[in-house]
Amino acid sequence: MAKIKTQYKCSNCGHVVPKWMGRCSQCGAWNTFEEVVETPKISEKARQTGRERGVYNQPRRLSEISSKQENRLSTKNEELDRVLGGGIVRGGVALLGGDPGIGKSTLLLQMTENVASQNYKVLYISGEESEQQIKMRADRMHIQSDSAFFLSEINMTYIRQTVVKEKPNLVIIDSIQTMYNPEITSAPGSVTQIRENANALIQIAKKDGISMFFVGHVTKEGNLAGPRVLEHMVDTVLYFEGEKYHAYRMLRAVKNRFGSTNELGIFEMTDRGLLPVQNPSGTMLVSRPQNTCGSVVVPIVEGTRPLLVELQGLVSASDYANPRRMATGFDYNRMILLVAIMEKRMGLNMKQMDAYINIVGGIRIDEPAADLAVCCALYSSYNDFEIPRDMLVIGEVGLTGEVRNIQDVDKRLTEGKKLGFTRCILPKSNEKAIEKVGKTLTLYPVDNIAQAFHALKRK
């Protein structure tokens, strides 16, 4: 491989020097030099062999390209396979991010055992833990597989040689920020190191058909650390969500070239690692309080999966000139908007009241179908009355107080029926769904939030 040449460029005037300088000799600016990597020229031998960037293909017509689908490799984890789009794709590269301690390494160590048990060769490379530390965690999780191989190393030169030599079916890099290329002078975790190391591994994955998983660190804002181009380079970007002190973890795909980005995987952290939750809706509602105002159940849809989630609202008198507003698991600005709609359209005096919204279980709701449930939970707490336990509430609320139609109503109501719910407040504009499931549930179609509040008090 050609040696990478490192230079430093002034971000103010563009002056290039071979070594870092505190002050630019051309424009006089201080601390403006940034490291840049000069792409080496491809030799004639590399052009013939195609080893520099992979195999050089000839352009073909669309009709000449085979549409045969690749056989996916199952992880033996239903929730992980769901998020990946059906399993691991040969030659695919995935990036897994999440807060420290949320379970990224635990999930990948379990996946290592599951894949290796299917007679596939797996190579787990850790730059953060020693082989003894990995062994100790495997013992805690009762993992006994001897089919996988583990390596504690950060030198990218040796890692590339090992991957090309061993030719495993799956490679796990934990984490990409700890890998170090000695041909680049910057420290591990820098923009140049992450970009070049990821690019080198992706070239190997695409050429040799090796599936790879990268673990990525996150910043304090929750974004993946390093250059944004890293997310563009990989095929799949996965995010772990949830508080590390909660038992449940949510796995989402924010980018997936091989499947949908709307799917959600739900796991439970146990002493044996992360286990898939078989009945998420029932699990989320198992501790729902009785005879309490401000609690309502809303059916949401994540990808193809309907979920029943408990939404709690609290309204109390404020001792401050500016009342507090707080939302956990729900968009704060959306909550402020809904409170304003209730004040304007229903005449409620919320200016001297604190308002709080909480989504139970650590789940975050982004779809507008939960708008009406938020309004009903706050209205229930404001007037101190209990919402019937067998009632669901769904609907999007507009600025004029109207309740607008939503999608996949039949899936939501079917899931509610399985768990014993018999009534539902929903938009009147969803007439087709009402006709389909109207005989199995008692439905209250509404046009605005005033009608919805009236339906809440029906016994």
Side-chain angles (χ1 to χ4, degrees):
M1 181 177 177
K3 185 174 179 61
I4 299 175
K5 184 177 181 181
T6 303
Q7 294 178 329
Y8 294 88
K9 182 178 181 180
C10 177
S11 59
N12 187 38
C13 67
H15 180 54
V16 178
V17 294
K19 293 184 178 180
W20 186 86
M21 300 173 60
R23 184 174 183 267
C24 180
S25 59
Q26 296 294 320
C27 64
W30 287 89
N31 297 324
T32 57
F33 280 102
E34 297 178 351
E35 184 181 25
V36 295
V37 176
E38 181 181 346
T39 305
K41 295 182 179 179
I42 301 175
S43 63
E44 185 62 28
K45 183 179 179 181
R47 291 181 184 277
Q48 295 175 1
T49 60
R51 292 295 299 179
E52 190 69 18
R53 62 164 295 277
V55 179
Y56 288 88
N57 297 321
Q58 297 296 325
R60 293 187 293 172
R61 295 184 177 90
L62 185 62
S63 58
E64 298 174 351
I65 301 175
S66 174
S67 61
K68 182 180 179 181
Q69 296 183 353
E70 290 279 352
N71 292 327
R72 294 178 182 262
L73 173 61
S74 175
T75 63
K76 289 188 175 181
N77 188 318
E78 297 178 0
E79 298 299 301
L80 183 56
D81 283 345
R82 174 195 295 270
V83 178
L84 291 173
I88 303 173
V89 177
R90 182 175 178 267
V93 181
L95 177 64
L96 175 63
D99 294 333
I102 201 170
K104 301 184 296 295
S105 299
T106 299
L107 179 65
L108 293 180
L109 187 59
Q110 290 178 291
M111 184 181 70
T112 299
E113 182 190 33
N114 294 338
V115 174
S117 65
Q118 304 176 57
N119 296 323
Y120 290 103
K121 191 173 184 179
V122 183
L123 178 60
Y124 190 109
I125 302 175
S126 176
E128 300 179 344
E129 298 177 299
S130 65
E131 297 171 359
Q132 290 74 22
Q133 288 176 307
I134 298 175
K135 172 64 175 176
M136 292 172 59
R137 181 163 8 107
D139 291 340
R140 291 197 306 267
M141 299 166 55
H142 307 286
I143 294 178
Q144 305 293 336
S145 175
D146 287 333
S147 302
F149 297 86
F150 297 89
L151 174 66
S152 179
E153 183 60 59
I154 65 171
N155 191 312
M156 273 301 301
T157 302
Y158 179 67
I159 290 175
R160 290 199 306 265
Q161 295 174 355
T162 303
V163 173
V164 173
K165 178 183 177 181
E166 297 293 335
K167 291 190 180 340
N169 300 100
L170 175 64
V171 174
I172 297 174
I173 305 294
D174 187 7
S175 64
I176 191 63
Q177 278 82 6
T178 60
M179 300 297 113
Y180 174 70
N181 189 338
E183 297 177 346
I184 303 175
T185 58
S186 59
S190 63
V191 171
T192 305
Q193 286 280 359
I194 296 174
R195 183 179 63 243
E196 296 300 325
N197 294 338
N199 183 52
L201 292 171
I202 291 173
Q203 288 184 14
I204 297 175
K206 299 302 180 184
K207 181 182 181 301
D208 298 334
I210 300 174
S211 302
M212 291 189 180
F213 273 78
F214 298 160
V215 175
H217 295 170
V218 295
T219 62
K220 62 182 180 180
E221 291 82 13
N223 301 319
L224 282 166
R228 192 71 174 181
V229 70
L230 178 62
E231 299 183 44
H232 293 278
M233 294 167 64
V234 300
D235 300 311
T236 305
V237 179
L238 307 176
Y239 271 98
F240 249 131
E241 299 177 359
E243 301 292 338
K244 66 179 181 179
Y245 300 108
H246 280 75
Y248 301 109
R249 307 284 193 271
M250 274 62 70
L251 182 65
R252 296 181 186 269
V254 297
K255 174 188 176 181
N256 193 353
R257 291 173 178 163
F258 309 119
S260 173
T261 58
N262 297 321
E263 297 293 348
L264 174 69
I266 302 179
F267 302 86
E268 182 180 7
M269 179 63 78
T270 66
D271 56 349
R272 298 182 65 88
L274 288 166
L275 301 180
V277 178
Q278 301 297 332
N279 184 12
S281 297
T283 304
M284 297 296 176
L285 301 178
V286 66
S287 300
R288 188 187 177 196
Q290 298 183 7
N291 303 323
T292 303
C293 62
S295 175
V296 63
V297 176
V298 52
I300 63 175
V301 174
E302 294 288 348
T304 58
R305 162 187 283 175
L307 293 174
L308 300 186
V309 180
E310 181 186 359
L311 189 152
Q312 295 180 343
L314 176 64
V315 177
S316 61
S318 178
D319 295 330
Y320 304 96
N322 296 321
R324 295 194 64 186
R325 305 284 188 259
M326 183 179 296
T328 303
F330 191 79
D331 184 66
Y332 172 78
N333 294 325
R334 188 71 179 175
M335 174 194 171
I336 298 298
L337 178 65
L338 295 174
V339 171
I341 294 173
M342 294 174 61
E343 289 181 336
K344 180 69 175 180
R345 305 303 173 187
M346 295 298 298
L348 301 181
N349 184 17
M350 303 284 287
K351 297 179 180 179
Q352 298 178 351
M353 310 293 285
D354 293 334
Y356 306 89
I357 286 294
N358 177 46
I359 309 298
V360 178
I363 290 183
R364 178 170 182 82
I365 299 179
D366 294 320
E367 64 170 333
D371 289 352
L372 187 59
V374 171
C375 294
C376 291
L378 294 176
Y379 184 76
S380 170
S381 179
Y382 181 87
N383 291 280
D384 199 21
F385 72 93
E386 178 187 359
I387 297 177
R389 289 184 57 83
D390 62 344
M391 178 173 286
L392 301 173
V393 178
I394 47 176
E396 178 183 357
V397 178
L399 293 181
T400 62
E402 82 279 10
V403 178
R404 307 178 69 89
N405 66 313
I406 58 176
Q407 298 179 348
D408 300 321
V409 179
D410 52 340
K411 290 183 180 180
R412 304 170 196 262
L413 298 183
T414 301
E415 182 71 10
K417 180 184 176 183
K418 291 179 182 178
L419 294 182
F421 289 85
T422 60
R423 292 182 283 179
C424 179
I425 300 176
L426 77 170
K428 191 174 183 180
S429 54
N430 289 109
E431 295 181 357
K432 294 183 179 180
I434 295 175
E435 296 175 357
K436 186 181 300 185
V437 297
K439 297 181 180 180
T440 58
L441 293 175
T442 302
L443 303 178
Y444 301 103
V446 296
D447 287 322
N448 50 60
I449 58 175
Q451 296 179 9
F453 293 162
H454 179 71
L456 285 177
K457 300 180 180 180
R458 296 186 182 181
K459 299 298 183 180

